[in-house]
Amino acid sequence: MPNSEKILTLHPAGKKGVNISLEKYEQVRKVLLDIVSNKPKITFSDMADLAEQKLTVQQFDGKPLWYITTIKLDLEARGIIGRVPKTSPHQLIVK
């Protein structure tokens, strides 16, 4: 897999993103959007728990929580999901 396609993730605070496998990005992105789309709003920790379970079933290769966090931030930066203002712990919605 050394020649696999990569994607540079974005960060909502304008920080430098990371290059990750496009295949893993798409896999995690789909799981996150499936979860967030099926709830009016969800906390990050609940979303992460559900995503880790789904990715484990899919035999995800890597540290799921790192990818979940990185891609969640990327989706926020792209305006696909958003944080519900003034929620603690922060909650997420599909924009």
Side-chain angles (χ1 to χ4, degrees), residues 16-89:
K16 186 168 170 37
V18 293
N19 275 310
I20 60 173
S21 155
L22 181 59
E23 185 179 335
K24 286 184 179 183
Y25 175 88
E26 291 295 337
Q27 182 182 5
V28 175
R29 179 182 184 273
K30 182 179 182 330
V31 167
L32 295 183
L33 290 177
D34 284 349
I35 292 167
V36 177
S37 296
N38 288 316
K39 308 267 185 211
K41 53 188 167 183
I42 187 168
T43 65
F44 172 72
S45 67
D46 287 347
M47 180 198 68
D49 289 345
L50 290 169
E52 274 192 292
Q53 290 170 16
K54 286 185 177 197
L55 291 167
T56 299
V57 169
Q58 295 176 11
Q59 299 180 343
F60 184 77
D61 180 32
K63 297 201 182 299
L65 188 56
W66 183 87
Y67 283 92
I68 290 164
T69 303
T70 300
I71 294 167
K72 188 267 306 182
L73 290 168
D74 177 80
L75 294 173
E76 280 184 54
R78 294 177 192 275
I80 297 168
I81 64 174
R83 292 185 187 200
V84 178
K86 299 180 181 148
T87 55
S88 179

